Amino acid sequence: MDARDENPAISEPPADRAGIRFGALGWTGLAVVVVLAALPLFLANFTIFQLTMMLIYAIAILGLNLLTGINGQFSLGHGAFYAIGAYTAAILMENFGLAYGWTLPAAGLICFVSGFLFGLPALRLEGIYLALATFGLAVAMPQFLKLSVLEPWTGGVQGIVITKPDAPFGLPLSQDQWLYYFTLVVALLLYWFAANLVASRSGRALMAIRDNPLAARAMGVNNALYKSLAFGISAAFTGIAGALGAIVVQFVAPDSFTFALSVALFVGLVVGGVGWLPGALVGGAFIVFIPNVAELFNKALAGAVYGVILILLIYLMPTGAGGLVRKVADFVGRRMKPRPDR
Amino acid sequence: MPRGKLQTIPLVGGERLPQQESASLPLLTIRDVSVAFGGIRALDGISFDLHRGQVLGLIGPNGAGKTTLFNCLSRLYTPTSGDILFEGKSILGRAASRMAEIGIGRTFQNLASFSRLSVRDNIRVGAHCRSRTDMLSDGLRLPWMRRAERRIDGIVDELIAYLELRSVADLPMAGLPFGTLKRAEMARALAIHPKLLLLDEPAGGLNHDEIGELGRLIRRIRDERAVTVLLVEHHMNLVMSVSDRVVVLNFGRKISEGDPAGVQANPEVIRAYLGSGRA
Ligand SMILES: Nc1ncnc2c1ncn2[C@@H]1O[C@H](COP(=O)(O)OP(=O)(O)OP(=O)(O)O)[C@@H](O)[C@H]1O
Ligand SMILES: [Mg+2]
């Protein structure tokens, strides 16, 4: 069986062959950003809050995608890094009085280090074994956060309540609107960073390891270093998402970060498209809105409806939204320009 | 035809260096190398030298230990005993990922493509060791990162032209014809800017015309790019026509070494190839 079948990731489309497709994707991207920027002006605060959460999960999924889609390592434990990021923000704000904006780089740094260190021993593990190890991390995290030695900082089972920031410089925005725009800017910056990374020497090294680790080494790629770095960067993205999540929800507690969160991020990754960076937004939307849709449909059977939606989606687009977009783009591309190669 | 002893080899930079094969230090020295896998002795006390500017053909029946020797040279395996010197220094203390930077490049017996990357990106990965960046400057697109990237693009464009890959440069590797993939992997290995290129059965799976092309290419690589080549190949015509010297392995032992004509006439080599190698 072809290795591509098990992990249907999509690397960035080549620039000049796909002139049309890339252009179209570029315009679509711009349109999406414009819509995202305009949305909160027309919506109620609760919906704005939901959209903010969508962006936050998108950031977390973007991080997971760098690890899984780009570098080919699995994680069922990214909720743990999200939790570390969230607690970092909460503790720095409430115990040390740090301004919320500064908690993001702090959370990113701490999660980078945690991810890198976790990635080092995990180097020996492949595929499902790595998934199992990360699963252990996710399961252990809530218990760890409840430890009584850490209670002076973590607040134990009670968790930490965070004050919600106001819009700065007297901007005429509600708190929710402000946090939405703040998150949107962070998300765009991180997306830019991730896209640059994927198109760079480091990104190619990560993808080379994913596609053929042996050949990558023969080309001079230090697999161990890059795989650990991928874990670190991935955890940093997810940690920054966690910090934003803490600020937006104004509360952290151990049971907000159970294994279910890790699974949700993984589901979001697959639904959005493994290896397709923009898919993170689709994944984020799925995490936030599909449970609500399921509930609207039938409150008592919400879980079952959610499951059925998930099954249908995976059957209809087995390579996630990314695969679907690519197929459509390929189709349109062929229609618009006869291919020069036979 | 054996080549003259004293010759000039044009280097990529344009300078020409006189090269005296017998007097100079060998580029590569294999010294009494043995490799055992459990009970199997895949290599048993192998020694030979490879001089700059030469093509050395390494032949032998299936299972003779050729790929095992390649894997020792790219540090995927560590010999049980013996030493391997490259430019006079032992390579056994080096990690596999640090062979490219000293100038040892290789292709693989079966294809080893980065299948979801384009041909161009595959070759770019080959040039990985020719620049230094870090993930932070790559993610932030800092100026030195863009400069390094432009330099790599220059290297890659030259190789795409050299190996006639222009029409497929931006297609993903997966799905390209076999011969094209082999050329792309050759370009990828050349992007390392190797002093020594290890080719493991480059003709495998190619048709007659493609093999003729490959023979000319190997000689051009040696002459125009000053690359020394260690060639493992079953295709005898190819080996005998491009090699300056030939080493023959059988059951992990070196049974013959010399110029192509001499080796072909060696009765032990003939016996090994007729399948009655071990009585
Ligand atoms: N990783 C390994 N573990 C165990 N045995 C191995 C390993 N690699 C090679 N061998 C054994 O070592 C011997 C030499 O194998 P090798 O692949 O080097 O042969 P080869 O000369 O390249 O043959 P071919 O022409 O078929 O490619 C064989 O008996 C093989 O089974
Ligand atoms: Mg072999």
Side-chain angles (χ1 to χ4, degrees):
Chain A
M1 196 173 128
D2 189 344
R4 293 186 312 138
D5 294 343
E6 358 176 317
N7 185 7
I10 303 102
S11 52
E12 294 296 285
D16 50 283
R17 174 177 76 118
I20 298 171
R21 182 206 303 175
F22 217 28
L25 273 186
W27 286 110
T28 314
L30 196 65
V32 169
V33 172
V34 168
V35 169
L36 284 174
L39 272 178
L41 303 175
F42 309 105
L43 296 171
N45 276 340
F46 181 69
T47 318
I48 296 174
F49 163 79
Q50 284 185 311
L51 286 175
T52 312
M53 289 312 294
M54 170 185 84
L55 292 176
I56 289 170
Y57 287 131
I59 295 172
I61 293 170
L62 195 58
L64 187 55
N65 211 345
L66 287 176
L67 184 71
T68 305
I70 302 303
N71 193 218
Q73 302 193 76
F74 284 95
S75 171
L76 278 175
H78 258 49
F81 298 117
Y82 188 97
I84 295 174
Y87 268 86
T88 303
I91 291 169
L92 287 178
M93 284 169 74
E94 296 309 311
N95 294 11
F96 297 92
L98 197 68
Y100 62 94
W102 290 108
T103 66
L104 302 190
L109 198 66
I110 287 177
C111 287
F112 175 82
V113 174
S114 322
F116 185 82
L117 293 179
F118 184 84
L120 279 182
L123 282 175
R124 302 173 167 281
L125 307 173
E126 298 283 337
I128 50 171
Y129 302 100
L130 181 59
L132 196 67
T134 53
F135 168 77
L137 189 67
V139 171
M141 190 50 70
Q143 296 286 311
F144 174 77
L145 293 170
K146 285 177 198 166
L147 285 182
S148 53
V149 266
L150 297 176
E151 221 173 299
W153 294 284
T154 59
V157 267
Q158 251 82 60
I160 307 169
V161 177
I162 299 164
T163 26
K164 200 172 193 172
D166 289 317
F169 323 119
L171 288 174
L173 296 171
S174 73
Q175 285 174 322
D176 286 310
Q177 281 174 324
W178 163 245
L179 280 178
Y180 175 87
Y181 283 117
F182 181 71
T183 306
L184 181 61
V185 169
V186 173
L188 288 174
L189 284 175
L190 288 174
Y191 183 84
W192 175 78
F193 186 96
N196 284 345
L197 189 67
V198 170
S200 74
R201 172 176 175 273
S202 308
R204 289 191 300 268
L206 294 176
M207 292 186 282
I209 293 170
R210 170 197 70 191
D211 282 0
N212 197 318
L214 212 63
R217 269 206 285 173
M219 301 305 135
V221 177
N222 184 339
N223 289 16
L225 178 67
Y226 275 94
K227 285 172 85 169
S228 302
L229 283 173
F231 237 107
I233 299 248
S234 169
F237 271 66
T238 305
I240 291 173
L244 283 166
I247 297 165
V248 169
V249 178
Q250 303 163 64
F251 177 61
V252 294
D255 292 325
S256 324
F257 308 113
T258 60
F259 175 57
L261 175 61
S262 295
V263 174
L265 294 179
F266 185 79
V267 169
L269 170 70
V270 177
V271 168
V274 181
W276 192 57
L277 298 186
L281 193 62
V282 179
F286 186 90
I287 293 179
V288 174
F289 295 110
I290 294 303
N292 296 354
V293 171
E295 216 162 283
L296 278 181
F297 210 72
N298 185 327
K299 229 178 172 77
L301 286 175
V305 174
Y306 175 86
V308 169
I309 293 175
L310 192 57
I311 291 168
L312 280 179
L313 269 181
I314 289 304
Y315 271 99
L316 292 176
M317 29 181 236
T319 49
L324 192 69
V325 167
R326 203 156 104 119
K327 274 201 195 99
V328 171
D330 265 339
F331 181 76
V332 174
R334 264 201 304 279
R335 278 292 173 95
M336 290 173 66
K337 182 173 75 174
R339 273 152 49 103
D341 45 311
R342 351 31 337 148
Chain B
M1 251 264 276
R3 295 169 341 120
K5 282 270 178 280
L6 184 70
Q7 60 177 151
T8 44
I9 293 176
L11 292 180
V12 182
E15 40 182 327
R16 298 168 84 85
L17 287 182
Q19 181 114 7
Q20 199 151 12
E21 287 169 4
S22 49
S24 64
L25 183 76
L27 180 64
L28 178 74
T29 302
I30 313 282
R31 190 180 285 163
D32 205 23
V33 165
S34 297
V35 173
F37 296 110
I40 308 168
R41 279 200 153 246
L43 289 178
D44 194 358
I46 301 294
S47 299
F48 63 88
D49 286 342
L50 174 50
H51 289 273
R52 278 171 219 273
Q54 284 198 332
V55 174
L56 188 142
L58 183 63
I59 61 171
N62 290 114
K66 306 178 295 292
T67 299
T68 304
L69 184 63
F70 265 34
N71 286 341
C72 290
L73 288 172
S74 42
R75 294 289 299 121
L76 298 175
Y77 297 163
T78 298
T80 326
S81 64
D83 203 356
I84 299 173
L85 309 180
F86 184 71
E87 298 192 300
K89 287 198 267 313
S90 173
I91 61 165
L92 296 185
R94 277 187 170 267
S97 61
R98 296 191 52 217
M99 302 311 292
E101 66 189 31
I102 60 170
I104 299 183
R106 74 172 288 179
T107 64
F108 292 81
Q109 177 165 353
N110 300 306
L111 290 171
S113 309
F114 307 127
S115 52
R116 273 175 271 164
L117 301 188
S118 65
V119 171
R120 187 185 296 280
D121 276 345
N122 268 264
I123 305 172
R124 280 185 175 135
V125 175
H128 181 84
C129 63
R130 297 179 68 181
S131 64
R132 291 267 163 275
T133 57
D134 58 277
M135 285 199 179
L136 199 61
S137 31
D138 278 350
L140 297 173
R141 275 186 75 72
L142 296 181
W144 55 83
M145 172 266 177
R146 273 178 287 173
R147 263 200 305 279
E149 202 76 346
R150 272 199 298 278
R151 213 168 54 80
I152 299 260
D153 283 345
I155 295 168
V156 172
D157 284 339
E158 190 267 329
L159 283 166
I160 285 175
Y162 194 75
L163 284 147
E164 292 162 23
L165 289 163
R166 212 170 263 141
S167 61
V168 294
D170 294 303
L171 300 179
M173 291 285 265
L176 291 179
F178 193 77
T180 310
L181 292 176
K182 286 236 156 181
R183 275 212 316 286
E185 292 200 2
M186 182 80 92
R188 184 178 71 179
L190 285 174
I192 290 171
H193 197 40
K195 293 173 183 156
L196 172 63
L197 181 59
L198 312 172
L199 300 175
D200 198 350
E201 300 199 17
L206 299 188
N207 64 34
H208 186 78
D209 292 344
E210 287 172 325
I211 292 176
E213 192 94 347
L214 175 66
R216 283 188 291 281
L217 176 64
I218 292 173
R219 265 176 301 195
R220 278 174 62 207
I221 289 172
R222 176 194 65 192
D223 297 339
E224 299 170 5
R225 310 182 82 91
V227 176
T228 304
V229 177
L230 183 55
L231 168 70
V232 162
E233 191 43 75
H234 283 295
H235 196 282
M236 281 307 144
N237 284 345
L238 177 67
V239 178
M240 297 306 167
S241 65
V242 304
S243 302
D244 300 295
R245 283 180 80 71
V246 176
V247 168
V248 189
L249 300 186
N250 193 23
F251 293 109
R253 288 173 188 276
K254 185 172 89 175
I255 58 170
S256 179
E257 175 174 3
D259 59 46
V263 162
Q264 273 173 300
N266 184 321
E268 204 177 343
V269 175
I270 295 168
R271 254 203 319 281
Y273 270 91
L274 289 178
S276 55
R278 185 166 281 186

